[in-house]
Amino acid sequence: MTKLVRAVLVLILLMATIANLGTDLKQGRGALLIVLAGLALAPRVWRWLSGRSATTKRNLCWGLLGLTAVIELTVLLTMPTSVFHDPFRVRYQASLLASGHFDWGASDYFYRYPNNAVNAVLLAGPLWVGRLVGFNDATTLGALGFVMTNALILACAHLASRLAKDRAAAILVVAWFLLNSVTYTNFLQVPYSDLPSILAVAVILLVWQAHQERPHWAKLLVLGGAVLVGQLIKPNLIVLAPAVLLTWCLVKPRRQLLAPVTTVLVALALTLPVKQALLTAGHYQANDRYRLPATSWIYMSYLPATGGQYNSQVVQQEETLPNLATRQRFVQSALVNQVKKLGVGGLFQQWGTKLVNLTDERHVPIEYRAGPQRAPAWYLAHAKLAGVLQNFLLQVGWLTLFALTLRKVIYLRLNSATAVLLAVWAVGFVAFEVLLWEVEDRYGLALLPFLFGLVSLLTAPRFNDVGARLPWFWWLLVGLVGALLLLTSLPKPNSITVATQQSSLSVQYGERPYQLAPGAQLSQAVTLHHAASRAQVWLPHKSRATVTLLTPAGQRLALHRRGGVVAYRGKLAAGTYRLVVANPTARAQPVWVTSWPHGRLAPHPLVVNHHATGGRSLRYLFSTD
């Protein structure tokens, strides 16, 4: 059985490595040279690091972590991002709950996706604590992202160090996070369900290994807590149950596994009553009028048109059906017909496509980040170059990690409880996503703790001899040539976001616009630290409100209707502008205004009839080509 698990894991890692090479021939050649150089140089780098003194390793590890923290704080303080879609809706509801307002009716989002209602209740706790010490919710979320990101780095580094029995592994893990842009984007700036669930996985693996080395009841409490919280945040953690049971069957002696396996199963069983208790505390009541059946995500995953990813057309189609039971019948019938339509060959092709979409991490997932609310001039002046460098480091980082893990697993013997759990759980997670669920590239981020754990496991000595036939400087030259090929072939971003605010509850979930009274006006200042060539403001389609842009010199520029936005194209120099929304009609006009109680959506407040209102903002975008 362990040989079968290892064979499947090798296939997964091989597909992931190929996926991260890319489809562009020039990019692929450069990336392949980097992989070959990385595989050859990795043992030499390891031997050099491993030969340093314990003090040197400790100082180097903490120095890299400190540098990472400095960059994180710089990003948080100088480049706050505009978060939209699911994370903002959870933030908004958590703010209400932290204030004692138990109204879930601002949109139908939480009735449709009840699991995020749990996340909103959980998030309300830190927001409430933050207010006790004088933080607004935006500051609390920034601090939360900072703490959890560095906790994830420490957990992965500690896990690697324990498994490799050498602090050199921790140094390499911290260095990976330092150079990878996902650390400063999706993890740091969007502390949504991905980051805490990945942190929970890392803690589970770390405590599991620590308990194998030295059993203690306190470790079992931490293990149970991590499982419970992780399952509440991301229900797909349920694959841990068969993973620990299979580990129990494959590993001997089993006596030392009894306590951790029992703890995991009990914690998973407690999830249901704890979840219900949280929803009751948050005064949440399910509404089957909006809820989608779980089989909807399975059906979406078998639609080739979207590569097994989320399909909004399916959701829109289900929205027309009157209740949950009708939707269940529709989806079950549609799923059976779709599987028959695909056939055996089509199923394997769809699974392969989903595996690629899950593991292709060459681009930072952007589903939840609209762009910076503001950014310093020095960054914006080099934003396109920074974008290329970001994608380069991202692709090289993931590609090297997948390739090194692949080579390690080929030589690996699954003869310890932690090694078996790492392999079985990783295969189970990928199988769940590929066979049963819709996939997104950000879901692949959850593989990080598994990859760091697997690549750190001890293997046969022959692993360290690979690539020793050529001198190290030849391999370094190969890597530099590959890096040059890859850098020159990566496309530059088409545009740069100079300043934006796009947080919203979304009209698709029943968001209601602000009603601007006749003769009234709204205005909001926007500071540009770099020239822009396009400005746009979102307005409801039927709104007859007018939008003008007041320049620093006092000139008024009219924005013209283009579908659901009003826009202006032309040169806009750096400076502070003011958007003015007026209602020249005799009737109230709808305007999109986003509200975030106790939060901060933009650097400047919205002004309503000459009165500044905190926590509210227009939706706008200033960008340059």
Side-chain angles (χ1 to χ4, degrees), residues 303-519:
L303 295 177
T306 50
Q309 301 183 69
Y310 183 87
N311 192 312
S312 58
Q313 293 182 349
V314 171
V315 176
Q316 292 170 5
Q317 190 174 6
E318 290 187 55
E319 285 176 350
T320 62
L321 303 177
N323 52 51
L324 179 61
T326 308
R327 296 186 190 109
Q328 286 176 329
R329 290 192 296 269
F330 163 76
V331 172
Q332 289 172 359
S333 175
L335 177 58
V336 171
N337 292 334
Q338 181 62 28
V339 171
K340 290 180 179 178
K341 181 180 177 181
L342 287 173
V344 176
L347 283 174
F348 278 97
Q349 183 178 354
Q350 184 70 3
W351 292 337
T353 300
K354 291 176 65 179
L355 180 57
V356 169
N357 289 336
L358 176 68
T359 57
D360 185 358
E361 301 294 339
R362 291 175 297 137
H363 307 286
V364 177
I366 59 172
E367 292 96 332
Y368 301 141
R369 295 178 300 108
Q373 298 176 13
R374 55 178 166 79
W378 59 265
Y379 172 80
L380 293 170
H382 305 94
K384 289 192 175 182
L385 178 61
V388 173
L389 185 60
Q390 169 182 285
N391 287 334
F392 169 77
L393 292 174
L394 192 68
Q395 183 172 357
V396 170
W398 279 99
L399 190 54
T400 305
L401 183 56
F402 276 124
L404 289 172
T405 308
L406 171 61
R407 185 175 67 177
K408 178 61 72 79
V409 172
I410 290 174
Y411 293 127
L412 186 62
R413 291 184 179 181
L414 302 178
N415 53 11
S416 71
T418 302
V420 172
L421 181 62
L422 277 167
V424 171
W425 193 4
V427 170
F429 166 76
V430 174
F432 177 85
E433 296 293 343
V434 170
L435 301 180
L436 292 178
W437 216 246
E438 54 92 20
V439 298
E440 304 286 346
D441 54 355
R442 65 184 181 88
Y443 296 171
L445 297 174
L447 290 171
L448 273 176
F450 299 108
L451 296 174
F452 287 130
L454 288 166
V455 80
S456 302
L457 289 168
L458 297 175
T459 55
R462 56 181 171 171
F463 170 80
N464 294 323
D465 297 329
V466 178
R469 296 178 182 177
L470 289 177
W472 66 269
F473 54 84
W474 283 109
W475 285 116
L476 182 60
L477 181 61
V478 170
L480 290 175
V481 171
L484 185 61
L485 283 173
L486 183 57
L487 274 171
T488 55
S489 60
L490 289 173
K492 289 185 178 181
N494 294 325
S495 63
I496 300 170
T497 299
V498 180
T500 190
Q501 195 302 106
Q502 296 183 45
S503 300
S504 72
L505 297 180
S506 297
V507 63
Q508 70 191 85
Y509 298 116
E511 181 186 19
R512 292 178 288 273
Y514 176 85
Q515 296 296 324
L516 186 61

Side-chain angles (χ1 to χ4, degrees), residues 207 211 214-224 259 263:
V207 177
H211 188 272
R214 185 175 297 178
H216 194 276
W217 63 267
K219 296 173 185 176
L220 295 177
L221 290 178
V222 176
L223 176 64
T263 301

